[in-house]
Amino acid sequence: MELGKVHSVDAKHANVDTRPVDSPDFHYEDGNLQGQKGSTRGDVLDMSRMGKKQELQRNFRFLSIVGFIMILQSSWESTLLAASYGLTNGGTGGVIWVTAGVILGALCMIASIGEMASMAPTAGGQYHWVSEFAPKSIQKPLSYIVGWLALLGWVTGCPSAAQLTSTLVQGLILLKNENANVAALWQTTLFIMIFLIVAVAFNLFVAEKLPLAEGIFLIVHIFGYFAFLIVLWTMSDHAPASQVFGTFTDGGGWGNTGLSCLVGITTPLWCFLGPDAGAHMSEELKDAGRVLPSAMVWATFFNGLLGLTMIMTMCFCIGDIDGILDSSTGIPIIQLLYNSTGSYSATVVMTTVLIVLSMVGTITVIAATSRQMWAFARDKGLPFSSYIEHVRPGWDIPLNAIVVTLLVSMLITCLNFGSDVALNAIISLSNAALIFSYMTSIGCIRLKRFRGEALLPRRWSLGKFGAPINDAALCFLAVGFVMSFFPITPMPAPVDMNWAVVIFLFVIVVAAVNYVVSARWHYVAPVALVKEQ
């Protein structure tokens, strides 16, 4: 097929730029790219090859996208806030060594994703890559299912992020007055809704300042890390190293310490998932094909160092683990800070830092989710796609997608009015859905390598290490995928059951049936718009 032509079968149904790369309408000189909203020559070439029109303003640069990814992952904050799972299943030794292993696996995963992002830097992310790299016979249906699961993983992450912020606020109140009535379901639900509305308001009305905000809070993220590190090391009693690194427990009652440690993988997994957030912002990043992969890898590398050293610090300073885990605040780190400082005021100040960073994390999750939704709607993968994909002139952001993200997140949150079991069941799906999308997209590129097929040109390549890095990433993700369906303890009561596996299978069945019945006629697989070179 000639350069500049697209597969015509679906082009008329999508928002496609059908001009050839060498069209006189395109001006390649940086800073003078007419109508390309801050794009570089590389961005124009990438968007043209993918058959996409540049609709969003490219405001992000290397530092701001690094901040975006690091704030979203919130590695050291998350290790403190989610440590109870790893400490229950694995103990101090288990959670430290499992976290170290997860960091290595996550780096392989992110390097693999980064290479694909360099080949096709698009807000669609995983489902787009599956569409381009999967065997031709299953490109369209598989990319559709991956699109739904990836979007579901992100959408369920929105109330999850807001719930974390809510829990911190409630924990701080309970520290001051353990009899305070702030933990009722309706109160928690309203807290979550408030934080969701604030996060969406920022994304709507201060969107042009989002890159600046990410850069500023990256500094807060780093300085906050050192503040916690100094306080905990200087004001807490310390356990001996042999005890910290050598204590492995089966607190969940699995009957096997190794299995218990694997169940505890939930703690570090939660800290290092979501690297595709950068990919979903790629159409707002200047020179995305070159900058994005490096930003993703460096952000995860430094977040890994911060997260590992912080979980080690916590394990050295935690003291009575059972007492910390059974704290009336419900948040171990709040109780640990109070035990270390002996000051309510100091605990409030330090917890406020966590609340602010958690709130910024919620803003970041909303941004990434809305771009994923917008991209999938652009390819007609969603109901009401025409409304969701619309970018209002002068806004240069997917405003409608942001509003729909809020509405869906609020509907999910409303489940909490009746039972927190239903909300937690849906939220627990986030890890599994995202991991599946990573496995599928990396699996497709690995298959092309195995078959010796040519890969797309890219400005960031794994070279000869591509195959082993892909293999390591797939092994890591396979373990994480299986363990994401495990409950904290065997034979749990319904309220403690991890219902993610049921919802996951239900979504796959519904998506597959919907594709056969309806979506195959209107869904535009991204590969159908790609211009062959």
Side-chain angles (χ1 to χ4, degrees):
M1 183 173 293
E2 296 179 14
L3 180 66
K5 291 186 177 181
V6 301
H7 298 266
S8 60
V9 62
D10 289 318
K12 65 181 180 179
H13 298 300
N15 188 1
V16 182
D17 188 348
T18 58
R19 291 176 295 174
V21 182
D22 54 358
S23 166
D25 292 338
F26 280 148
H27 296 269
Y28 291 145
E29 293 82 6
D30 290 354
N32 189 33
L33 292 161
Q34 295 180 4
Q36 295 306 304
K37 301 182 184 295
S39 299
T40 66
R41 179 179 182 274
D43 294 325
V44 173
L45 290 170
D46 286 330
M47 294 294 284
S48 179
R49 185 196 69 80
M50 293 184 291
K52 302 298 184 185
K53 178 182 177 182
Q54 183 67 46
E55 296 187 85
L56 309 182
Q57 187 69 35
R58 292 185 183 269
N59 291 322
F60 279 87
R61 303 293 186 271
F62 177 80
L63 185 60
S64 53
I65 201 67
V66 166
F68 186 92
I69 298 168
M70 289 187 73
I71 292 296
L72 186 140
Q73 288 181 329
S74 298
S75 60
W76 70 262
E77 300 94 331
S78 297
T79 56
L80 294 176
L81 297 172
S84 57
Y85 298 102
L87 291 172
T88 299
N89 283 296
T92 57
V95 75
I96 290 173
W97 292 112
V98 168
T99 298
V102 166
I103 291 171
L104 293 176
L107 284 171
C108 292
M109 171 187 76
I110 288 162
S112 300
I113 291 175
E115 185 181 44
M116 291 187 290
S118 184
M119 296 178 193
T122 166
Q126 296 92 298
Y127 84 87
H128 181 107
W129 301 329
V130 169
S131 177
E132 284 211 56
F133 305 143
K136 289 185 178 181
S137 60
I138 58 173
Q139 283 176 333
K140 188 171 183 176
L142 186 59
S143 68
Y144 179 76
I145 293 174
V146 169
W148 266 102
L149 286 171
L151 179 58
L152 187 64
W154 277 107
V155 168
T156 54
C158 294
S160 176
Q163 184 188 49
L164 179 60
T165 312
S166 169
T167 303
L168 280 167
V169 173
Q170 291 170 304
L172 207 53
I173 296 172
L174 291 170
L175 177 67
K176 181 65 175 178
N177 180 9
E178 62 182 35
N179 296 317
N181 182 22
V182 294
L185 287 179
W186 67 271
Q187 292 170 313
T188 300
T189 306
L190 292 179
F191 270 124
I192 296 173
M193 289 182 170
I194 289 170
F195 292 128
L196 284 172
I197 291 171
V198 171
V200 167
F202 189 99
N203 274 279
L204 287 177
F205 304 113
V206 202
E208 71 278 4
K209 301 297 183 184
L210 181 60
L212 175 62
E214 297 293 349
I216 292 173
F217 283 103
L218 173 60
I219 296 173
V220 177
H221 173 72
I222 295 171
F223 276 88
Y225 161 80
F226 285 107
F228 273 76
L229 207 68
I230 292 169
V231 167
L232 291 175
W233 278 110
T234 60
M235 305 189 74
S236 304
D237 295 328
H238 306 146
S242 58
Q243 176 182 322
V244 171
F245 291 103
T247 300
F248 299 86
T249 61
D250 179 18
W254 291 95
N256 182 286
T257 304
L259 176 59
S260 184
C261 289
L262 284 177
V263 173
I265 201 174
T266 303
T267 291
L269 267 181
W270 191 57
C271 305
F272 294 101
L273 288 184
D276 55 310
H280 301 313
M281 304 300 292
S282 61
E283 293 180 37
E284 295 166 73
L285 173 64
K286 199 175 187 71
D287 206 11
R290 180 183 64 84
V291 172
L292 180 59
S294 298
M296 294 168 69
V297 172
W298 282 115
T300 304
F301 175 76
F302 285 116
N303 255 352
L305 291 180
L306 300 184
L308 182 60
T309 52
M310 186 59 75
I311 195 66
M312 289 168 61
T313 296
M314 185 177 188
C315 290
F316 269 101
C317 303
I318 196 169
D320 179 15
I321 294 181
D322 292 334
I324 292 291
L325 294 179
D326 294 335
S327 167
S328 61
T329 66
I331 307 292
I333 185 55
I334 294 180
Q335 189 63 52
L336 176 57
L337 288 172
Y338 184 72
N339 292 351
S340 299
T341 63
S343 167
Y344 175 72
S345 298
T347 304
V348 168
V349 170
M350 300 197 71
T351 304
T352 300
V353 173
L354 289 177
I355 292 172
V356 171
L357 289 171
S358 178
M359 186 65 238
V360 177
T362 304
I363 293 171
T364 304
V365 171
I366 291 288
T369 302
S370 60
R371 273 61 172 184
Q372 168 79 92
M373 180 180 291
W374 169 74
F376 201 38
R378 181 174 58 182
D379 291 323
K380 311 303 178 187
L382 296 172
F384 311 108
S385 286
S386 297
Y387 171 80
I388 298 172
E389 72 166 322
H390 179 62
V391 177
R392 300 186 182 185
W395 284 75
D396 294 335
I397 59 171
L399 185 147
N400 293 359
I402 295 172
V403 172
V404 174
T405 297
L406 173 63
L407 293 176
V408 175
S409 299
M410 296 286 267
L411 287 174
I412 294 173
T413 304
C414 284
L415 295 171
N416 205 53
F417 279 122
S419 169
D420 59 353
V421 177
L423 176 63
N424 290 332
I426 292 179
I427 287 177
S428 66
L429 177 63
S430 182
N431 277 6
L434 287 176
I435 290 174
F436 180 83
S437 70
Y438 304 152
M439 288 176 62
T440 307
S441 55
I442 295 173
C444 289
I445 202 73
R446 181 63 182 95
L447 182 60
K448 288 182 75 69
R449 280 193 160 100
F450 177 77
R451 291 177 170 179
E453 298 175 4
L455 302 180
L456 289 176
R458 61 269 192 206
R459 289 182 284 164
W460 195 93
S461 174
L462 296 177
K464 62 182 180 180
F465 300 106
I469 289 176
N470 291 163
D471 291 338
L474 289 171
C475 291
F476 160 68
L477 290 168
V479 173
F481 181 69
V482 172
M483 302 316 298
S484 65
F485 295 123
F486 273 63
I488 297 177
T489 59
M491 305 299 292
V495 69
D496 297 318
M497 180 60 186
N498 184 347
W499 295 101
V501 64
V502 177
I503 303 175
F504 180 84
L505 292 174
F506 175 77
V507 170
I508 285 186
V509 170
V510 170
V513 171
N514 185 60
Y515 176 82
V516 172
V517 173
S518 173
R520 62 175 172 163
W521 305 113
H522 56 77
Y523 169 59
V524 183
V527 71
L529 309 176
V530 168
K531 299 172 184 177
E532 296 183 1
Q533 299 191 51

